Amino acid sequence: MKLKAMYSFLNGDLNRIEEQLKMTVQTSDPLVNEASLHLLEAGGKRIRPVFVLLGGQFGTYHFEKMKRVAVALELIHMASLVHDDVIDGAMLRRGKETIQAKWGDQFAMYVGDYLFARALEQMCEIDDPVAHHILAKTIVEVCRGEIEQISDKYRFDQNLRRYLQRIKRKTALLIAASCQLGAVVAGAPEAVHKKLYWFGYYVGMSFQITDDILDFIGTEKQLGKPAGSDLSQGNVTLPVLYAMKEQTLKEQIIKVNEHTTSHEMAHVIDGIKRTDAIEKSYELGDRYLQKALHTLQKLPRNRAWTALYNIAKYIGKRKY
Amino acid sequence: MDMQQQMEQVRTRIQRAIAHSYVDRYIQPRIVDEDRILFALSMLRSAQVDANIALDYVFAMMFIQLALDTHDEIDEQQTIQQRQLTVLAGDLYSGLYYEFLARRHDISLIRRFAEAIKEINIQKIRLRQLSLDDLERFHCIGVIESALLCKLAEHVHADEWGELAYYLFSLKRVHRDGAKSKASIDYIDYCKRKLQDLLPLHIHEEVKERFSHLLA
């Protein structure tokens, strides 16, 4: 089953969210409009709005309120992508030129800040302090996580706990907040929105672990970048941590730096793939997935429940 | 608590909140603009806002100012790490403003400041497209330099301070950038004249004293 088919009952609302996204980023300056639409038209799965809408089905679902939160979260995500492209010096995203490649770093900074402001304006239509508190805390944690990711580059002495904390901040928190915020704004009981938070958190952890595995086993065509790019950029991910349990391989891995050639990298990647690191990483990813499914069992069953179940399963099985 | 002590308190709180052992190693120490702190405190005092609330408002506003200023520092001369951390530090300060006001349940001020951030960034983009002798530049500069203060003024129903902020901080910026054209020199004169009309309405000597070098 394709991902979109799992929540096809949301199609109408998702189309209206897409319209709202386009309307929200419009302004009097043609260049700002061009840049914002350039980003929107590059597409994306809109998975955060999906989680918001599904979370909302566990309470009293008012589309107008859901729309504000969904648009806010997607704009925050977009703003962070624009800034991430400045951080990475990325030229392409989803096959299209990045904002910074097309208009420069400074311009990209302004567009990112503009989108962030637009997101908060949307969110301010929600008069619920708990919702604001959750979102604000998430934003701060995500930023701290990104700083951590930079400080941890090429640091091969880090442990599993540090890695898990990093992927929590990098990926899991925003998914957790998306699931929870939909329910909070829909007035779902605390016990329900907190379970949705944990569901999103476990799914997010599993998703990122799978992503980190795919970076080693995917093809360049599937990944849109050379295999092992994370490691060559200094990101010490789960397969690397497990692979370093083999002393000989560890000695090769810790020598990786900005100047490591692609030939040398290919040798290291082969070494990692020959160990049980990929298998053990899958096992940990699956443990998070099982936790997500277990949390879901405690939630009332409805069509959103089924969609969340299928999405979690899909994420666990995805190959690229 | 007198104005100096309040200013010191805002500055210390901000520096404590943004201290980050790793980030601080790579990016320039951030400068907290004391002129803005003084102006905002003076305005809030004039609007009879409770001193503790005033400190919180200025604290939140200065987080945003720092975020915007930090992102202005992005340039191609920076090392990769400096550039990366400059982006992220700015993002973090933006998040901290939101988190701080969300904790205070002050959604109305979050909204006003978000409107200011939006306007400022639109004008920054606009400014990049204008030539040095285009008079629209000065409007862009005025908004960039004063939107946060104007929104705070609106929030406490002290709108007249917004106009004052617009001319005062435009003047400061054009002065700082150096009068590069006849248009800049004319605009400096124009701001001074506007401020001569506006300043007598505002009684705080601290503000006049602080900006006296610009008004001379």
Side-chain angles (χ1 to χ4, degrees):
Chain A
M1 192 191 247
K2 283 193 170 172
L3 183 64
K4 278 190 175 173
M6 294 170 190
Y7 47 80
S8 56
F9 62 94
L10 295 175
N11 282 352
D13 286 353
L14 285 169
N15 287 339
R16 286 155 75 192
I17 284 170
E18 203 61 33
E19 284 308 306
Q20 182 69 29
L21 277 167
K22 281 186 188 150
M23 273 167 54
T24 306
V25 299
Q26 290 294 302
T27 182
S28 55
D29 189 276
L31 196 54
V32 179
N33 288 344
E34 192 187 334
S36 306
L37 288 175
H38 175 83
L39 259 176
L40 272 177
E41 281 160 9
K45 294 187 192 74
R46 308 284 189 252
I47 197 71
R48 290 151 200 87
V50 168
F51 279 130
V52 170
L53 299 186
L54 291 173
Q57 305 260 339
F58 290 85
T60 311
Y61 186 93
H62 286 298
F63 176 68
E64 282 305 309
K65 285 186 175 181
M66 293 300 132
K67 181 176 79 178
R68 301 292 181 186
V69 181
V71 168
L73 277 164
E74 193 60 17
L75 290 178
I76 287 168
H77 173 62
M78 280 171 57
S80 75
L81 293 184
V82 178
H83 285 180
D84 282 353
D85 289 336
V86 176
I87 289 171
D88 299 336
M91 304 306 280
L92 290 174
R93 180 173 285 277
R94 295 178 191 131
K96 286 186 91 173
E97 235 182 329
T98 59
I99 302 274
Q100 70 101 22
K102 199 165 179 184
W103 287 286
D105 285 350
Q106 197 56 261
F107 182 88
M109 294 315 299
Y110 298 152
V111 171
D113 286 346
Y114 166 77
L115 293 172
F116 175 73
R118 282 298 208 190
L120 291 194
E121 279 184 315
Q122 287 293 309
M123 194 61 197
C124 284
E125 297 300 319
I126 303 294
D127 189 18
D128 182 335
V130 177
H132 285 279
H133 186 67
I134 291 168
L135 182 58
K137 211 174 135 198
T138 304
I139 291 171
V140 169
E141 284 295 299
V142 169
C143 289
R144 290 193 199 283
E146 289 211 52
I147 293 171
E148 231 166 54
Q149 177 157 325
I150 292 181
S151 73
D152 283 351
K153 280 196 173 185
Y154 300 108
R155 272 194 50 199
F156 294 101
D157 58 346
Q158 59 186 284
N159 57 23
L160 179 64
R161 195 181 158 173
R162 178 87 180 172
Y163 164 77
L164 294 175
Q165 187 191 31
R166 203 170 61 236
I167 66 166
K168 169 188 164 184
R169 286 170 152 175
K170 179 183 174 182
T171 306
L173 282 181
L174 204 54
I175 295 178
S178 304
C179 295
Q180 185 180 23
L181 279 169
V184 168
V185 172
E190 191 179 334
V192 169
H193 71 66
K194 284 203 165 157
K195 284 189 186 78
L196 280 162
Y197 168 89
W198 284 110
F199 168 80
Y201 167 79
Y202 293 135
V203 165
M205 294 296 279
S206 174
F207 178 88
Q208 189 55 52
I209 290 172
T210 306
D211 226 41
D212 293 343
I213 295 168
L214 292 175
D215 186 65
F216 284 100
I217 64 169
T219 63
E220 188 163 349
K221 196 178 169 197
Q222 287 168 334
L223 298 167
K225 59 183 180 177
S229 290
D230 284 341
L231 180 57
S232 44
Q233 285 167 14
N235 294 322
V236 181
T237 58
L238 189 59
V240 179
L241 287 175
Y242 283 141
M244 282 200 298
K245 299 222 158 109
E246 266 193 30
Q247 195 53 37
T248 331
L249 191 54
K250 182 178 177 180
E251 282 162 20
Q252 291 172 29
I253 291 172
I254 60 173
K255 286 184 192 146
V256 171
N257 59 46
E258 295 98 323
H259 310 295
T260 304
T261 64
S262 53
H263 178 73
E264 288 165 333
M265 271 309 297
H267 183 65
V268 174
I269 293 163
D270 269 353
I272 292 172
K273 281 157 77 174
R274 271 201 300 271
T275 67
D276 61 356
I278 301 295
E279 194 187 326
K280 282 174 76 181
S281 301
Y282 266 128
E283 278 169 20
L284 186 59
D286 191 55
R287 266 163 54 199
Y288 277 108
L289 190 65
Q290 294 311 317
K291 283 185 170 195
L293 296 175
H294 181 71
T295 308
L296 206 55
Q297 295 301 327
K298 299 174 200 161
L299 284 164
R301 306 237 170 166
N302 54 25
R303 58 186 180 168
W305 188 97
T306 311
L308 289 173
Y309 180 87
N310 287 330
I311 292 171
K313 284 279 198 183
Y314 174 90
I315 283 172
K317 283 184 187 161
R318 80 195 171 100
K319 296 282 177 250
Y320 55 89
Chain B
M1 203 188 305
D2 69 19
M3 199 72 93
Q4 279 305 322
Q5 287 170 311
Q6 281 188 310
M7 277 180 65
E8 187 52 34
Q9 198 169 328
V10 174
R11 216 170 47 83
T12 314
R13 267 172 84 183
I14 287 179
Q15 279 172 343
R16 207 177 298 143
I18 65 169
H20 191 293
S21 58
Y22 183 72
V23 173
D24 296 346
R25 233 185 293 157
Y26 291 93
I27 71 172
Q28 297 280 326
R30 273 117 296 153
I31 297 158
V32 182
D33 184 348
E34 293 191 359
D35 288 349
R36 278 174 205 282
I37 301 179
L38 175 76
F39 187 93
L41 287 172
S42 183
M43 169 175 79
L44 295 168
R45 188 178 279 192
S46 158
Q48 297 181 320
V49 174
D50 172 86
N52 287 324
I53 295 174
L55 284 174
D56 282 356
Y57 285 174
V58 179
F59 183 58
M61 186 191 75
M62 291 311 292
F63 263 139
I64 306 170
Q65 192 63 52
L66 268 183
L68 299 170
D69 292 347
T70 303
H71 282 168
D72 275 333
E73 282 166 23
I74 296 285
D75 79 62
E76 279 154 20
Q77 307 304 315
Q78 289 175 307
T79 64
I80 292 172
Q81 216 156 14
Q82 279 172 332
R83 190 182 62 206
Q84 292 172 329
L85 291 170
T86 306
V87 174
L88 292 172
D91 287 349
L92 178 62
Y93 307 152
S94 293
L96 288 173
Y97 121 74
Y98 181 35
E99 189 189 37
F100 181 74
L101 289 180
R103 238 186 288 133
R104 283 183 49 93
H105 300 177
D106 204 336
I107 296 167
S108 152
L109 192 55
I110 293 171
R111 185 205 309 269
R112 285 186 199 276
F113 280 154
E115 287 166 0
I117 299 170
K118 173 186 73 184
E119 272 309 311
I120 289 169
N121 284 289
I122 291 172
Q123 297 306 330
K124 282 182 176 178
I125 289 170
R126 186 91 198 105
L127 187 59
R128 285 166 51 97
Q129 302 167 60
L130 299 172
S131 65
L132 270 179
D133 51 3
D134 194 320
L135 295 179
E136 196 193 333
R137 298 180 60 81
F138 301 112
H139 173 65
C140 297
I141 290 171
V143 175
I144 292 166
E145 296 300 318
S146 68
L148 285 168
L149 286 162
C150 289
K151 289 291 175 185
L152 185 57
E154 265 177 49
H155 191 66
V156 298
H157 311 292
D159 296 47
E160 70 280 11
W161 282 78
E163 197 184 0
L164 183 59
Y166 181 91
Y167 289 109
L168 203 50
F169 286 90
S170 297
L171 177 62
K172 184 183 167 187
R173 164 79 178 265
V174 177
H175 215 274
R176 189 196 69 194
D177 290 351
K180 291 174 187 156
S181 62
K182 183 173 181 312
S184 304
I185 297 164
D186 290 347
Y187 187 70
I188 287 175
D189 286 342
Y190 175 69
C191 287
K192 284 183 180 175
R193 283 198 304 277
K194 288 297 285 187
L195 287 165
Q196 271 160 12
D197 293 339
L198 289 167
L199 271 173
L201 301 173
H202 304 283
I203 52 164
H204 290 121
E205 283 305 316
E206 297 101 322
V207 175
K208 285 184 199 165
E209 209 179 297
R210 183 108 191 167
F211 292 92
S212 57
H213 65 288
L214 291 174
L215 297 165

